[in-house]
């Protein structure tokens, strides 16, 4: 068996037991990347040499009898908005094309401490703004299941990498669906943790109050494994909550959903969206019922009707401020020989940012401006509060909620790129979760007739990751784990 | 009919809070004289992905200052982002407390223009981070004529408290007293060193004039006053300038003006001309700052006696001139030294006198601070007791004092070293000394003998001369006796 096909759990066990070396695993993944990358282009940087050196170091330590940690020898790919000391971190933007961070993000530090091997940095929508990875300044990523289609976004490179077998684990960040939607498009598992569960220190901020780092994997077990490493309090991130680390793996022992109440949304049933996604949802709901869950209709009117509009005020507002630091003074690209300070700012930012980023900076600047703040930003904050309350009420009735991760399966490259509003609308089912700071997981439940992966999303109350992992484990026992995309064209 | 003007002044004071590390990271706050860009880290240079972590000590100092100003401390505050572009601001936003300040609605008592106590309202005290510093390439370090500019981020994220007054101040003198009072307060509290020259206390003034015919002049903001004297002069200048314009029927341009201390005038500031829209919004990277009642009560309990409280107590407890009280209470450490002397048995008047004339003289000469003064209050009191017991003359005691301080020796050692024990010179020795003084001052002796020394002035002069020659070792009563024998009345 080719080692790149193994799950993270299998790799960690195999390396620990000496059945194969970390170097063998890393080499297998690197050659997989090499053979697939020309058609998929999921990676912005592949740190092959460093990965092999790291694997050898781990193998040496293992031979010396050392315990390598829960991810000993496991290859991991990072979305290119997580800082890696000494390795370029571009956010898929021209403005950071050559930027090498002076420090590691907390998640990177935790992964390395747990014995992981970093293979490189994955493509994404520039500064995580987008739902297709087409906004990358360095080229689009293809969906490994259908090369003429997008992998979703903004963590499209990470999702595609796991789907294509580059690594068993990749990290993404989710501000409005950027883990769950690409997981669905690429047929893998993607978890967006509770806001405050994983550290944002070293994640280049898009919208600080919404961003959260989470894993892509091909099994629920692997998601749990990574979360046990990442789900710890970080004093470097003041929004990281000091909750005790959870025994996520324990949640995997669930065999059924007896006694569970799972909510489905009245608003979703009434929503006009893709039949293939509707079928996937029905199929998953049926599986839940068969596993013993009681399905309960609930309503989240504000979340579905106003969540999207509010999000596209709040997220750009925060982004306009977060991205102001890219001014050409200290790091990143800088316009040459400016005549004045103003020209330095204007040219650096005009040449450095892509269209979608500029669109959001402008939107965000507008909604925060004197005279508009109350009507937009403040109103949106109020909506956000109502959404939180709405969820809190819903979770008095149900243990988790099922809904689609996206209104459509993977769409074609170029299909929506000239219609930003349509692109934004694709986030309607994922955004409320970020607005309320809840955990959500996207899992694959099958494929469409033409072979496109179809996912469903489960969401839980704050700190309810274990609930999600139990449900995912039960679903996995019915639908099987995520598959590696081997073909090219379908 | 000639016009008169009423002056309206409000002050915004930035006080650098006295912490070892910066507001949101662990870098040293020591930026004065430090090599540029040495006390920096990814956070205070605004590297992507970094997140602020609030320095708890800053909150404590802010609450302490807020309580001393009689403010209400807000139990729940949030930090906000003030967005604007400038190279010394690495994140392109300053983290500050805009919507809800840490403290608000306080007051400070100063002397009114009528000489009576007058209350200046404190609008708010809020916490914020400092920016870095631009250094321009021109030889005088200014932006004009520079072809290059450099940024030093050592000061970036250093903690500040901004204290905003109500527009209650009615004269440059009062403005000066208000700032001096706040400076003294922050020093008493240990909150800041309050040094205007070094920039750890920066004052911006808003000044406008109301005309007796009912017109109001626009408000002008004046910056760049680096001393109390500069503040007073700048405001006096503005009153003259604005008054002249208004007298001519002109309008005051609402603007920011910079004080040029050497030229003695303000000039329109060329930077930041346009009115900025700072797009304030809540800092999402920091959770709300929630302060419990007990936290605030603990800080309140630990507040030291404030300068104005101390002054009132001195007036009540010690029979001292106002001037002495002001000098003694100016610095907390000096007041503590004084009180220790009194506690050790010195009379308040004598202790005050010695501290003002001798202790402060030595400290001034040496440029030292009372906290580093080698002579303990107990040792000083021991010396004063000898003067009170007539064992040492005042002259001799001053000599002994100098020896104790400069050579850091005990009282006994200093007396031996100076050879000045009172009464050392007496009897025949003293008589012959008197004789030689009389011989050297024949003209004076002549006046006394001719009974022209109406008020014993000349006699006292001779006595003084003898004491001086005796270097304090003679008993003044014995000298008087000998003089009475030599020059019978």
């Amino acid at each position: 068996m080719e080692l790149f096909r193994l799950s993270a759990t299998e790799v960690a066990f195999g390396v620990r037991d000496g059945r194969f070396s970390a170097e063998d695993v890393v080499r297998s993944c690197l050659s997989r990347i090499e053979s697939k990358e020309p058609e998929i282009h999921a990676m912005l940087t592949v740190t092959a040499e460093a990965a092999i050196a790291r694997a050898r170091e781990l193998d040496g330590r293992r031979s010396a009898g050392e315990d390598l940690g829960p991810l000993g020898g496991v290859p991991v790919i990072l979305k290119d908005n997580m800082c890696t000391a000494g390795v370029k971190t571009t956010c898929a933007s021209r403005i950071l094309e050559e930027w090498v961070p002076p420090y590691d993000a907390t998640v990177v530090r935790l992964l390395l401490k747990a014995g992981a091997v970093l293979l490189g940095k994955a493509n994404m929508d520039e500064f995580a703004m987008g739902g297709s990875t087409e906004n990358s300044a360095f080229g689009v990523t293809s969906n490994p299941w259908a090369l003429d289609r997008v992998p979703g976004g903004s963590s499209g490179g990470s999702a595609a990498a796991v789907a294509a077998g580059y690594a068993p684990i990749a990290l993404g960040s989710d501000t409005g669906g950027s883990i769950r939607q690409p997981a669905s498009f690429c047929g893998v598992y993607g978890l967006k943790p509770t806001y405050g569960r994983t550290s944002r220190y070293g994640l280049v901020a898009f919208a600080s109050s919404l961003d959260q780092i989470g894993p892509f994997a091909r099994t629920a077990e692997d998601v749990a494994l990574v979360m046990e490493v990442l789900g710890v309090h970080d004093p470097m991130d003041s929004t990281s909550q000091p909750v005790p680390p959870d025994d996520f793996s324990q949640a995997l022992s669930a065999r059924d959903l007896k006694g569970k109440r799972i909510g489905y949304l009245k608003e979703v049933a009434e929503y006009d969206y893709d039949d293939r996604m509707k079928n996937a949802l029905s199929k998953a709901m049926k599986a839940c019922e068969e596993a013993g869950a009681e399905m309960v209709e609930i309503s989240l009117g504000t979340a579905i009707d106003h969540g999207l509009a509010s999000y596209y005020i709040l997220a750009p507002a925060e982004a306009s401020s977060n991205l102001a630091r890219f001014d050409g003074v200290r790091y990143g690209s800088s316009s040459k020989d400016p005549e004045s300070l103003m020209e330095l700012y204007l040219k650096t930012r005009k040449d450095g940012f892509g269209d979608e980023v500029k669109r959001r900076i402008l939107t965000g600047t507008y909604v925060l401006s004197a005279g508009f703040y109350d009507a937009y930003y403040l109103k949106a904050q109020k909506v956000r509060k109502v959404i939180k309350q709405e969820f809190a009420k819903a979770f008095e009735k149900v243990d988790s909620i099922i809904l689609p991760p996206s209104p459509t399966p993977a769409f074609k490259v170029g299909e929506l790129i000239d219609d930003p509003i349509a692109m934004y609308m694709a986030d309607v089912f994922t955004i409320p979760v970020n607005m309320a700071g809840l955990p959500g997981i996207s899992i694959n439940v099958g494929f469409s007739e033409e072979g496109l992966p179809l996912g469903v999303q489960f969401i839980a109350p704050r700190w309810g990751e274990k609930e999600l992992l139990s449900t995912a484990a039960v679903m996995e026992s019915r639908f099987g784990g995520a598959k590696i995309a081997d073909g090219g064209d379908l | 009919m000639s016009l008169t003007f009423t002056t309206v002044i409000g002050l915004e004071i930035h006080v650098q809070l006295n912490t070892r590390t910066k507001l949101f990271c662990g870098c040293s706050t020591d930026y004065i004289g430090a090599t540029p860009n040495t006390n920096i880290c990814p956070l205070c240079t605004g590297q992507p992905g970094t997140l602020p972590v609030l320095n708890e000590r800053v909150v404590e100092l802010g609450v302490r200052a807020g309580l001393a100003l009689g403010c209400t401390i807000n139990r729940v505050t949030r930090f906000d982002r003030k967005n604007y572009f400038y190279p010394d601001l690495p994140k392109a936003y300053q983290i500050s407390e805009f919507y809800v300040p840490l403290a608000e609605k306080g007051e400070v008592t100063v002397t009114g223009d009528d000489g009576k106590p007058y209350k200046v309202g404190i609008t708010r005290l809020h916490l914020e981070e400092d920016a870095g510093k631009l250094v321009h390439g021109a030889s005088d370090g200014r932006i004009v004529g520079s072809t290059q500019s450099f940024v030093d981020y050592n000061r970036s994220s250093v903690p500040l408290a901004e204290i905003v007054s109500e527009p209650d101040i009615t004269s440059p003198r009062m403005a000066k007293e208000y700032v001096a009072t706040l400076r003294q307060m922050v020093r008493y509290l240990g909150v800041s060193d309050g040094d205007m020259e070094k920039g750890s206390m920066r004052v911006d003034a808003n000044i406008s004039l109301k005309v007796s015919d009912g017109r109001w002049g626009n408000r002008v903001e004046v910056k760049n006053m680096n001393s109390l004297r500069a503040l007073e002069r700048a405001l006096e200048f503005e009153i003259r300038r604005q008054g002249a314009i208004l007298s001519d029927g002109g309008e005051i341009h609402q603007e920011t003006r910079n004080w040029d201390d050497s030229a003695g005038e303000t000039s329109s500031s060329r930077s930041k001309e346009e009115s900025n829209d700072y797009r304030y919004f809540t800092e999402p990277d920091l959770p709300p700052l929630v302060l419990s009642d007990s936290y605030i009560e603990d800080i309140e309990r630990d507040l030291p006696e404030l300068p104005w409280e101390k002054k009132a107590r001195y007036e009540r407890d010690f029979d001292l001139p106002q001037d002495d009280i002001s000098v003694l209470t100016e610095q907390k450490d000096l007041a503590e030294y004084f009180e220790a002397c009194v506690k050790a048995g010195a009379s308040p008047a004598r202790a005050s006198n010695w501290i003002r004339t001798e202790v402060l003289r030595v400290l001034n000469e040496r440029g030292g601070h009372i906290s580093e003064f080698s002579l303990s209050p107990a040792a000083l009191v021991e010396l004063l007791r000898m003067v009170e017991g007539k064992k040492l003359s005042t002259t001799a005691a001053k000599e002994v004092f100098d020896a104790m301080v400069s050579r850091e020796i005990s009282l006994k050692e200093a007396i031996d070293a100076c050879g000045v024990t009172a009464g050392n010179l007496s009897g025949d020795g003293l008589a012959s000394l008197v004789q030689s003084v009389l011989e050297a001052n024949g003209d004076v002796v002549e006046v006394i003998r001719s009974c022209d020394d109406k008020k014993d002035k000349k006699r006292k002069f001779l006595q003084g001369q003898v004491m001086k020659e005796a270097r304090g070792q003679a008993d003044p009563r014995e000298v008087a006796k000998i003089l009475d024998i030599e020059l019978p009345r």
Side-chain angles (χ1 to χ4, degrees):
Chain A
M1 174 163 191
E2 298 149 303
L3 293 174
F4 72 81
R5 294 186 183 279
L6 298 179
S7 74
T9 309
E10 289 165 341
V11 169
F13 272 114
V15 169
R16 190 171 307 154
D17 297 349
R19 275 185 281 125
F20 41 77
S21 68
E23 186 179 348
D24 293 339
V25 178
V26 166
R27 284 190 184 280
S28 173
C29 287
L30 287 172
S31 68
R32 176 70 174 179
I33 293 173
E34 205 178 337
S35 70
K36 289 300 217 180
E37 194 54 2
E39 57 192 21
I40 296 175
H41 185 53
M43 305 296 289
L44 294 178
T45 304
V46 178
T47 51
E49 271 178 45
I52 290 168
R54 161 81 173 160
R56 282 184 181 154
E57 177 222 320
L58 290 169
D59 286 332
R61 279 164 47 191
R62 196 205 69 87
S63 312
E66 204 178 305
D67 177 14
L68 299 178
L71 294 176
V74 174
V76 176
I77 286 167
L78 303 168
K79 187 176 183 178
D80 206 21
N81 58 353
M82 295 168 206
C83 289
T84 40
V87 177
K88 276 201 295 187
T89 299
T90 69
C91 294
S93 180
R94 291 262 171 241
I95 212 159
L96 286 180
E97 192 166 1
E98 300 299 331
W99 185 58
V100 179
Y103 72 104
D104 273 331
T106 296
V107 291
V108 173
R109 199 172 47 75
L110 292 171
L111 286 174
L112 292 175
K113 202 175 122 210
V117 182
L118 304 182
L119 298 188
K121 312 292 286 285
N123 199 9
M124 56 188 281
D125 283 299
E126 185 180 3
F127 283 105
M129 296 175 186
S132 67
T133 313
E134 291 167 288
N135 293 329
S136 168
F138 309 118
V140 65
T141 294
S142 289
N143 190 313
W145 294 99
L147 294 177
D148 60 342
R149 288 177 187 262
V150 301
S154 66
S155 313
S158 299
V162 171
Y166 289 5
I169 303 291
L171 296 193
S173 64
D174 189 319
T175 307
S178 284
I179 290 175
R180 290 157 292 153
Q181 182 253 31
S184 173
F185 279 23
C186 292
V188 296
Y189 288 57
L191 174 75
K192 181 250 159 206
T194 306
Y195 185 81
R197 174 78 86 172
T198 53
S199 169
R200 293 185 298 114
Y201 184 73
L203 170 70
V204 180
F206 159 17
S208 312
S209 74
L210 300 156
D211 297 342
Q212 195 66 195
I213 290 174
F216 290 97
R218 293 186 297 260
T219 66
E221 190 179 32
D222 279 3
V223 172
L225 179 68
V226 180
M227 282 310 295
E228 284 183 1
V229 171
L230 300 185
V232 293
H233 174 237
D234 179 14
M236 296 293 280
D237 173 0
S238 306
T239 62
S240 160
Q241 294 299 308
V243 287
D246 238 328
D247 180 8
F248 295 108
S249 299
Q250 193 218 323
L252 302 168
S253 56
R255 290 287 162 265
D256 56 47
L257 298 173
K258 282 189 187 121
K260 296 290 183 191
R261 288 164 309 165
I262 299 177
Y264 60 94
L265 298 187
K266 182 171 148 280
E267 290 79 12
V268 169
E270 291 163 359
Y271 201 87
D272 181 22
Y273 67 107
D274 193 286
D275 284 341
R276 292 165 290 185
M277 295 306 286
K278 282 186 183 167
N279 292 339
L281 189 72
S282 316
K283 190 170 135 186
M285 284 173 62
K286 194 158 161 259
C288 288
E289 259 185 318
E290 285 167 7
E294 180 194 345
M295 304 307 286
V296 182
E297 187 187 73
I298 57 167
S299 170
L300 290 170
T302 310
I304 302 299
D305 294 345
H306 303 293
L308 189 91
S310 312
Y311 172 90
Y312 277 101
I313 289 168
L314 298 179
E318 292 183 21
S320 70
S321 176
N322 283 330
L323 271 61
R325 68 185 65 196
F326 303 104
D327 58 7
V329 174
R330 292 162 305 280
Y331 44 71
S333 67
S334 183
S335 82
K336 295 282 166 278
D337 302 320
E339 288 292 315
S340 65
L341 181 60
M342 189 53 89
E343 193 183 306
L344 169 73
Y345 288 156
L346 295 179
K347 258 190 119 243
T348 298
R349 292 167 70 79
K350 175 177 168 279
D351 299 342
F353 291 136
D355 287 348
E356 182 58 31
V357 171
K358 283 177 190 158
R359 182 156 34 237
R360 297 202 195 188
I361 289 174
L362 288 173
T363 308
T365 305
Y366 178 82
V367 298
L368 287 175
S369 298
F372 299 102
Y373 176 87
D374 287 4
Y376 292 102
Y377 184 81
L378 219 53
K379 191 71 151 275
Q381 285 288 26
K382 283 178 189 157
V383 173
R384 185 172 187 179
K385 208 171 205 174
V386 173
I387 292 173
K388 278 186 192 172
Q389 291 162 348
E390 205 172 66
F391 271 113
K393 264 187 95 177
F395 284 121
E396 286 169 11
K397 286 186 234 155
V398 296
D399 300 295
S400 64
I401 296 168
I402 186 170
L403 76 172
S406 163
T408 67
F411 46 84
K412 290 206 163 134
V413 173
E415 197 176 324
L416 297 180
I417 196 68
D418 294 323
D419 189 352
I421 299 295
M423 192 78 96
Y424 294 172
M425 295 296 283
D427 301 339
V428 63
F429 299 137
T430 45
I431 273 170
V433 177
N434 300 79
M435 296 284 271
L438 308 175
I441 195 167
S442 179
I443 61 171
N444 179 264
V445 294
F447 291 81
S448 68
E449 277 173 23
E450 72 266 51
L452 296 178
L454 302 173
V456 294
Q457 176 185 204
F458 289 94
I459 58 186
R462 282 170 68 72
W463 317 115
E465 281 88 343
K466 282 170 84 170
E467 185 71 37
L468 297 180
L469 287 165
S470 294
T471 310
V474 172
M475 291 293 109
E476 189 179 332
S477 69
R478 308 217 147 215
F479 300 113
K483 293 163 191 66
I484 288 178
D486 276 313
D489 299 303
L490 292 165
Chain B
M1 195 187 82
S2 79
L3 298 168
T4 57
F5 302 98
T6 309
T7 307
V8 180
I9 299 169
L11 297 178
E12 293 171 13
I13 303 183
H14 285 90
V15 176
Q16 185 192 322
L17 296 172
N18 203 352
T19 58
R20 226 164 28 76
T21 57
K22 293 182 177 180
L23 182 49
F24 297 120
C25 63
C27 290
S28 164
T29 50
D30 189 15
Y31 64 85
I32 295 162
T35 309
N37 295 316
T38 47
N39 292 328
I40 58 171
C41 72
L43 186 282
C44 56
T45 52
Q47 302 289 315
T50 53
L51 297 170
V53 178
L54 181 62
N55 182 342
E56 286 183 30
R57 175 87 179 143
V58 173
V59 178
E60 191 191 322
L61 295 182
V63 169
R64 201 185 285 179
L67 289 171
L69 291 167
C71 289
T72 308
I73 306 296
N74 284 311
R75 298 302 196 266
V76 182
T77 52
R78 291 211 64 151
F79 284 92
D80 303 295
R81 291 186 184 178
K82 177 180 182 177
N83 296 284
Y84 66 95
F85 286 90
Y86 208 60
D88 65 5
L89 190 67
K91 300 183 299 295
Y93 57 81
Q94 179 195 31
I95 304 179
S96 179
E97 292 175 310
F98 177 70
Y99 290 105
V100 184
L102 182 68
E104 58 189 328
K105 299 189 192 92
E107 62 187 30
V108 165
T109 304
V110 295
T111 316
D113 292 329
D114 56 3
K116 291 183 186 143
Y118 178 89
K119 280 178 179 152
V120 175
I122 301 293
T123 315
R124 56 189 280 152
L125 176 150
H126 68 259
L127 304 175
E128 61 186 29
E129 57 180 339
D130 209 340
K133 210 172 167 179
L134 288 192
V135 182
H136 301 292
S139 55
D140 60 356
R142 297 176 69 162
I143 196 163
V144 181
S146 300
T147 53
Q148 277 180 303
S149 294
F150 305 89
V151 204
D152 175 10
Y153 291 111
N154 281 346
R155 201 178 67 183
S156 168
S157 196
V158 162
L160 301 175
E162 180 173 344
I163 301 169
V164 182
S165 85
E166 291 289 310
D168 289 345
I169 298 165
T170 55
S171 68
R173 178 208 57 78
M174 190 191 288
K176 187 176 155 189
E177 188 189 331
Y178 168 82
V179 175
T181 305
L182 282 198
R183 184 175 65 179
Q184 189 187 27
M185 182 199 87
V186 295
R187 287 174 177 172
Y188 257 65
L189 295 172
V191 156
S192 171
D193 65 14
D195 192 323
M196 287 180 78
E197 282 79 7
K198 283 193 292 184
S200 49
M201 185 160 177
R202 304 195 279 271
V203 181
D204 299 337
N206 287 300
I207 174 165
S208 60
L209 299 185
K210 187 187 170 194
V211 194
S212 51
D213 62 9
R215 284 182 296 148
W216 276 95
N218 276 326
R219 183 164 54 90
V220 170
E221 187 175 12
V222 191
K223 288 177 179 283
N224 199 37
M225 289 86 67
N226 296 322
S227 66
L228 288 177
R229 179 88 190 102
L231 169 68
E232 193 176 26
R233 288 175 68 209
L235 291 173
E236 282 165 355
F237 176 86
E238 271 303 302
I239 290 171
R240 285 195 303 277
R241 187 185 72 85
Q242 295 181 22
I245 294 172
L246 292 166
S247 295
D248 286 351
E251 273 209 24
I252 305 298
H253 184 40
Q254 184 169 345
E255 61 182 346
T256 299
R257 297 180 70 88
N258 278 324
W259 170 248
D260 181 335
D261 205 47
S262 53
E265 59 186 33
T266 64
S267 58
S268 189
S269 157
R270 264 163 288 193
S271 62
K272 291 186 188 172
E273 264 175 23
E274 76 283 11
S275 97
N276 272 308
D277 181 352
Y278 293 119
R279 290 169 286 122
Y280 286 101
F281 71 102
T282 299
E283 166 58 277
D285 287 330
L286 288 168
L289 175 61
V290 182
L291 304 178
S292 69
D293 289 349
S294 67
Y295 173 85
I296 292 163
E297 284 158 14
D298 284 350
I299 293 176
E300 191 154 28
R301 203 173 310 116
D302 285 348
L303 279 186
E305 184 180 38
L306 294 165
W308 46 88
E309 293 167 347
K310 201 179 273 295
K311 260 185 196 161
R313 179 164 61 84
Y314 279 24
E315 281 164 20
R316 211 166 51 233
D317 293 357
F318 307 124
D319 181 24
L320 290 174
Q322 268 305 322
D323 200 29
D324 278 31
I325 292 177
S326 292
V327 171
L328 291 173
T329 56
E330 172 61 32
Q331 295 172 49
K332 187 171 154 224
D333 292 349
L334 190 68
E336 278 165 2
Y337 190 93
F338 164 74
E339 287 183 45
C341 289
V342 172
K343 206 169 173 195
S347 83
R350 193 178 295 276
S352 169
N353 189 18
W354 272 73
I355 288 170
R356 289 196 60 184
T357 55
E358 299 308 308
V359 176
L360 287 181
R361 174 181 59 79
V362 171
L363 290 177
N364 278 340
E365 281 165 12
R366 300 183 170 192
H369 189 259
I370 186 71
S371 59
E372 297 139 19
F373 192 55
S374 61
L375 191 64
S376 71
L380 177 62
V381 170
E382 211 185 334
L383 175 64
L384 299 188
R385 280 223 179 91
M386 297 204 62
V387 178
E388 277 167 15
K390 302 271 191 254
K391 292 204 184 81
L392 277 182
S393 71
T394 303
T395 321
K398 284 180 181 174
E399 200 178 327
V400 169
F401 173 85
D402 278 341
M404 288 172 84
V405 172
S406 61
R407 294 159 66 184
E408 299 195 14
I409 51 178
S410 73
L411 176 62
K412 193 173 172 307
E413 288 164 336
I415 287 171
D416 288 348
C418 300
V420 291
T421 311
N424 246 7
L425 193 62
S426 65
D428 291 349
L430 185 59
S432 73
L433 178 69
V434 171
Q435 202 57 52
S436 63
V437 169
L438 295 183
E439 278 160 23
N441 296 282
D443 49 341
V444 178
V445 170
E446 209 42 54
V447 172
I448 296 173
R449 290 213 163 112
S450 60
C451 293
D452 274 352
D453 187 22
K454 294 274 154 47
K455 287 177 180 163
D456 273 0
K457 260 188 170 170
K458 301 288 179 191
R459 188 179 292 269
K460 275 186 186 141
F461 167 77
L462 288 177
Q463 171 150 9
Q465 288 301 106
V466 173
M467 289 307 290
K468 197 175 155 196
E469 292 291 314
R471 291 176 55 240
Q473 296 178 77
D475 182 343
R477 282 167 300 187
E478 192 183 348
V479 174
K481 263 184 208 157
I482 298 172
L483 274 176
D484 284 348
I485 295 166
E486 295 292 330
L487 299 169
R489 288 166 192 267

